[in-house]
């Protein structure tokens, strides 16, 4: 797996090192808003489109929000070792294709991944196996966004009115488990005030650019 990662990703545009940015957070912590704003405001950051076996919600479009795959197609990608990482999240399967990340980086873009803690762990292991001089390792940045407290998270999840109380309960249990992984991330940013949190995320990204 390491060899494939090196082979496929090392051949990138010379010059500044594109960043591989992981933004991870419990549901309701403000991750989507922050990721959407990064994409809107930073021309060189592209979103890594994941695969999932869940059904599209609302106006979600295949190939834009996710690649919506049947179980068998997801299995085929696992068998082909096509995923850089994959995990079951909230009962559905999600995965990032190596190809998606490699193409983004090779084009000289920073690639933004919105994934869960299990996926982050797998990526970190892959990156950790690369040499210190590897551009992927040099450009790797993992950020964990935390709500100020679980009480505040519950308030936000209830306030957005998208989920029933059972789902909110489940998300809170998951949030607690996810927050226990915060220490694995190089950067942990509290989202108490959205603009402040976003500014901190931007600063961490700009500081990484060398
Ligand atoms: P949603 O289905 O609400 O869009 O996403 C549910 C969760 O799955 C979110 O926490 C999101 O970060 C995570 N997720 C989305 N894509 C991927 C992926 O490719 N890999 C992993 N490990 N998690 C993902």
């Amino acid at each position: 797996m390491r060899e494939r990662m090196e082979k496929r990703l090392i051949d990138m545009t010379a010059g500044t090192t594109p960043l591989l940015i992981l933004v991870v957070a419990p549901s309701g912590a403000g991750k989507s808003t922050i990721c959407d704003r990064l994409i809107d405001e930073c021309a060189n950051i592209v979103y890594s489109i994941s695969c999932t076996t869940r059904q599209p919600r609302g106006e979600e479009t295949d190939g834009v929000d996710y690649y919506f795959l049947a179980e068998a197609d997801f299995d085929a990608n696992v068998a082909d070792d096509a995923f850089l990482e994959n995990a079951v999240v909230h009962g559905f399967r999600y995965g990032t294709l190596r190809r998606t990340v490699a193409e983004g980086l090779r084009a000289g873009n920073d690639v933004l991944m919105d994934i869960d803690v299990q996926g982050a762990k797998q990526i970190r292991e892959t990156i950790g196996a690369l040499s210190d001089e590897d551009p992927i390792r040099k450009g790797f940045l993992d950020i964990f966004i935390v709500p100020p407290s679980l009480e505040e998270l519950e308030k936000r999840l209830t306030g957005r009115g998208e989920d029933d109380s059972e789902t909110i309960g489940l998300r809170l249990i998951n949030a607690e488990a996810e927050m226990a992984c915060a220490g694995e991330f190089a950067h942990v940013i509290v989202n108490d005030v959205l603009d402040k949190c976003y500014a901190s995320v931007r600063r961490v990204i700009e500081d990484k650019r060398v």
Side-chain angles (χ1 to χ4, degrees):
M1 176 150 131
R2 184 192 335 160
E3 272 169 22
R4 289 181 72 167
M5 174 99 178
E6 285 181 17
K7 232 188 293 150
R8 291 188 191 193
L9 299 185
I10 206 137
D11 171 33
M12 297 185 309
T13 316
T16 54
T17 305
L19 306 180
L20 180 57
I21 307 164
L22 260 55
V23 177
V24 180
S27 168
K31 178 176 61 173
S32 304
T33 311
I34 285 166
C35 288
D36 288 350
R37 206 162 148 189
L38 283 172
I39 299 286
D40 281 352
E41 295 182 11
C42 310
N44 55 326
I45 299 184
V46 297
Y47 182 58
S48 159
I49 302 170
S50 296
C51 300
T52 183
T53 57
R54 79 155 166 78
Q55 293 297 307
R57 285 194 294 248
E59 306 207 321
E60 284 182 337
T61 308
D62 185 47
V64 176
D65 301 285
Y66 280 103
Y67 298 111
F68 294 98
L69 300 187
E71 289 284 343
D73 294 330
F74 200 98
D75 282 339
N77 279 308
V78 172
D80 286 350
D81 193 26
F83 286 123
L84 186 56
E85 60 75 37
N86 71 96
V88 175
V89 188
H90 307 314
F92 294 100
R93 298 164 83 189
Y94 293 83
T96 307
L97 292 170
R98 293 174 192 281
R99 193 180 59 230
T100 302
V101 174
E103 282 171 1
L105 293 175
R106 207 174 284 127
N109 293 313
D110 299 329
V111 175
L112 176 65
M113 297 179 68
D114 166 352
I115 60 172
D116 86 316
V117 290
Q118 305 168 76
K121 204 174 279 222
Q122 293 171 36
I123 303 261
R124 223 177 274 115
E125 278 168 17
T126 304
I127 299 281
L130 302 176
S131 85
D132 285 348
E133 292 313 305
D134 191 293
I136 309 299
R137 186 162 177 169
K138 280 186 168 172
F140 179 68
L141 185 56
D142 59 340
I143 302 170
F144 192 77
I145 294 171
V146 283
S149 65
L150 282 172
E151 290 72 28
E152 176 61 27
L153 187 66
E154 183 172 8
K155 243 191 265 170
R156 289 183 194 173
L157 287 170
T158 309
R160 70 184 190 185
E162 285 176 5
D163 303 304
D164 55 31
S165 59
E166 192 185 330
T167 309
I168 290 175
L170 195 63
R171 286 187 189 272
L172 286 171
I173 291 169
N174 287 341
E176 220 173 333
E178 285 161 350
M179 279 159 72
C181 300
E184 298 168 10
F185 289 76
H187 303 274
V188 179
I189 300 175
V190 179
N191 184 8
D192 44 0
V193 178
L194 188 65
D195 280 346
K196 211 173 91 197
C197 177
Y198 176 71
S200 301
V201 171
R202 279 290 294 266
R203 203 163 34 246
V204 163
I205 293 173
E206 297 312 326
D207 285 352
K208 186 77 182 174
R209 289 186 210 286
V210 280

